[in-house]
Amino acid sequence: MNVLIIGSGGREHAIAWKLSQSKKLTKLYSAPGNPGMAKLGPTAAIDISDNEAVVKFAVDKNIGLVVVGPEDPLAAGLVDALEAAGIKAFGPSKDAARLEADKDFSKKMMRANSIPTAEFHSFENFEDAKDYIATRDTGLVVKACGLAKGKGVYVCDEPSEAINAAEEIMENKIFGEAGEKIIVEERLSGPEVSILAIVDGRNIYVLETSQDHKPIGEGDTGPNTGGMGAYSPANIVDEKLMDRIIGEILVPTVNGLNMAGAPFRGVLYAGLMLTKVGPKVLEYNVRMGDPETQPILMRLKTDLLEVMLAVCEGRLENVNLQWDKRPSVCVVISSGGYPGEYEKGKKITGISRAEAMEDVKVFHAGTKIQDGDLVTAGGRVLGVTALGENIEAAREKAYAAAEQINFEGAYFRNDIAMKALK
């Protein structure tokens, strides 16, 4: 079977790497792909926001399965367009993708289905948001309702900060159309955990747990990013807590979408906060997390192509995932200045030295080939991922590998997975 992966980030490289190991795979295409993915199969310079162009390419190349990595094409209905052309696609429909693409829809769906989440209000007018925030006397969270590349969330200590955040989003339009409506919600406290589950519309199969590190600075300080590292498993989730997460969050989410006429197929990501009264949903994603995908897929032993086909064909109940018991840690190396302004085109060296280490894989996130050299092309550049006999060993290996890689302005946090050791 020929397979096409949509996307060009670290998540898509990890998916491509795992799919390339399938005995069912004939040829692996990626669009637009990246230099790491190019080593696994042909890349195609097609506009992934153009559904017609993607469908035409899939037909021309006799693609049996399209795997949609990023959120934007999902929200734009790429899966619907592919399925209408008779092509299997792994990912949710446009309607189901609203769970991530429209936070107002998401929060109202949670409220309607009694799914635990922070209390919230939504606003389409800045003055109304400002008046409401001014009545509060505690910390708040302000979110752009649309897709903002993982950066549209402001965690505010004071109401005055929340007013500034609302103004930035609604008046200064720093996220464009994504900020035409905002959510203002109570600020929750507790450890965070990422729960990913594969869903075929009826059946739910929970993947191994993981924990992301969003802020740019060590000790979870500074502005939020797309994610500066992750580890798996997240040892704060025991069997009893997982049963509660499945019963109180995952099952009612899937049922709620079914009742809304938007059955979910693909990977459902629930970002949770473990509060004193139990787990609460911070956000949903409708695709694999980045960088959580990297350590999770490092540990997956089962044929990923078989799993994705089972989801598309509604037979997830026949799947049994096998996992490497060893933990995995991913350290993201970013461009200096990220998540603010940063320079591109910096020559990268040392990846081959890093990957020569046992149980280490370097996933490309923001790279390109320029004049024959591998150079930086994004904020998050590489995801250095390692397996170890325990979390401490995996950390040491990931950081030893990261130290082998060099480019001007390279930055990474030194405390990824320290939470697990504590």
Side-chain angles (χ1 to χ4, degrees):
M1 175 181 288
N2 293 336
V3 175
L4 169 64
I5 300 177
I6 301 297
S8 61
R11 165 185 52 224
E12 288 79 27
H13 187 189
I15 293 169
W17 172 74
K18 185 56 67 174
L19 286 174
S20 71
Q21 300 164 19
S22 173
K23 292 178 181 177
K24 282 198 165 187
L25 181 70
T26 304
K27 202 167 191 177
L28 183 64
Y29 294 88
S30 56
N34 64 40
M37 298 168 77
K39 293 182 178 181
L40 303 172
T43 59
I46 55 176
D47 181 0
I48 62 172
S49 66
D50 184 341
N51 290 352
E52 281 189 23
V54 175
V55 170
K56 183 179 184 304
F57 181 87
V59 171
D60 290 346
K61 298 298 182 183
N62 192 28
I63 301 295
L65 175 70
V66 178
V67 180
V68 186
E71 60 273 26
D72 286 343
L74 293 168
L78 178 55
V79 167
D80 308 66
L82 289 161
E83 291 181 344
I87 300 164
K88 288 187 177 73
F90 183 84
S93 66
K94 181 177 181 176
D95 284 346
R98 292 176 67 199
L99 199 60
E100 176 176 0
D102 183 349
K103 288 185 175 63
D104 187 45
F105 167 83
S106 173
K107 296 290 283 191
K108 287 174 179 173
M109 191 280 296
M110 284 187 263
R111 180 184 280 166
N113 291 278
S114 302
I115 297 167
T117 188
E119 285 298 314
F120 74 98
H121 292 269
S122 55
F123 298 95
E124 297 183 46
N125 177 280
F126 169 64
E127 291 300 327
D128 291 342
K130 180 181 177 182
D131 290 345
Y132 168 74
I133 294 169
T135 67
R136 315 302 294 174
D137 56 8
T138 59
L140 295 164
V141 178
V142 180
K143 300 178 178 180
C145 275
L147 296 173
K149 306 293 182 188
K151 300 172 190 171
V153 177
Y154 289 78
V155 180
C156 307
D157 293 327
E158 303 288 341
S160 58
E161 289 180 38
I163 290 173
N164 290 338
E167 185 173 21
E168 283 284 283
I169 297 170
M170 302 190 84
E171 295 289 278
N172 298 338
K173 303 188 183 302
I174 59 171
F175 302 119
E177 292 181 2
E180 288 181 355
K181 184 187 289 188
I182 65 167
I183 295 286
V184 179
E185 62 183 31
E186 65 172 325
R187 181 175 175 178
L188 302 175
S189 61
E192 292 185 33
V193 67
S194 307
I195 302 296
L196 282 76
I198 300 175
V199 182
D200 69 357
R202 298 178 299 114
N203 301 291
I204 302 170
Y205 201 127
V206 181
L207 302 179
E208 286 287 278
T209 56
S210 60
Q211 190 161 26
D212 186 13
H213 300 66
K214 284 286 187 190
I216 188 69
E218 291 168 16
D220 287 339
T221 57
N224 272 349
T225 69
M228 292 302 297
Y231 63 92
S232 174
N235 51 11
I236 55 174
V237 181
D238 57 22
E239 192 173 340
K240 184 178 179 181
L241 178 57
M242 181 59 79
D243 286 344
R244 189 171 176 185
I245 290 168
I246 292 169
E248 295 180 12
I249 294 169
L250 297 182
V251 170
T253 299
V254 172
N255 287 344
L257 288 170
N258 280 332
M259 287 189 289
F264 191 96
R265 289 189 298 276
V267 173
L268 177 61
Y269 169 120
L272 309 179
M273 183 158 279
L274 306 180
T275 72
K276 289 180 179 179
V277 296
K280 293 190 176 186
V281 177
L282 294 174
E283 64 170 353
Y284 290 111
N285 291 341
V286 296
R287 32 74 192 187
M288 299 187 86
D290 189 345
E292 295 96 329
T293 299
Q294 290 86 311
I296 288 174
L297 291 188
M298 278 287 280
R299 298 183 57 220
L300 180 66
K301 289 185 170 183
T302 307
D303 186 326
L304 183 59
L305 181 50
E306 292 266 20
V307 175
M308 289 179 164
L309 288 171
V311 169
C312 294
E313 295 164 6
R315 49 180 181 84
L316 191 55
E317 69 271 19
N318 299 326
V319 167
N320 183 26
L321 299 182
Q322 301 294 321
W323 299 96
D324 192 320
K325 287 185 169 59
R326 294 176 297 170
S328 180
V329 172
C330 173
V331 175
V332 170
I333 306 180
S334 67
S335 297
Y338 174 79
E341 293 184 3
Y342 54 87
E343 294 182 359
K344 301 178 183 179
K346 305 299 183 183
K347 184 178 177 180
I348 303 168
T349 60
I351 290 178
S352 58
R353 290 194 300 272
E355 291 198 319
M357 299 172 66
E358 188 178 3
D359 294 321
V360 169
K361 181 66 186 173
V362 179
F363 296 110
H364 292 237
T367 67
K368 68 177 181 178
I369 301 295
Q370 182 175 289
D371 299 327
D373 292 325
L374 182 70
V375 301
T376 64
R380 294 188 296 170
V381 179
L382 299 165
V384 183
T385 312
L387 289 163
E389 290 304 316
N390 50 47
I391 282 282
E392 189 168 10
R395 276 191 86 250
E396 288 177 1
K397 199 178 293 185
Y399 277 108
E403 292 286 357
Q404 300 297 316
I405 297 169
N406 296 291
F407 59 86
E408 184 185 336
Y411 167 80
F412 54 81
R413 283 179 54 167
N414 284 294
D415 63 345
I416 301 302
M418 284 299 290
K419 296 172 186 175
L421 297 180
K422 291 175 183 176

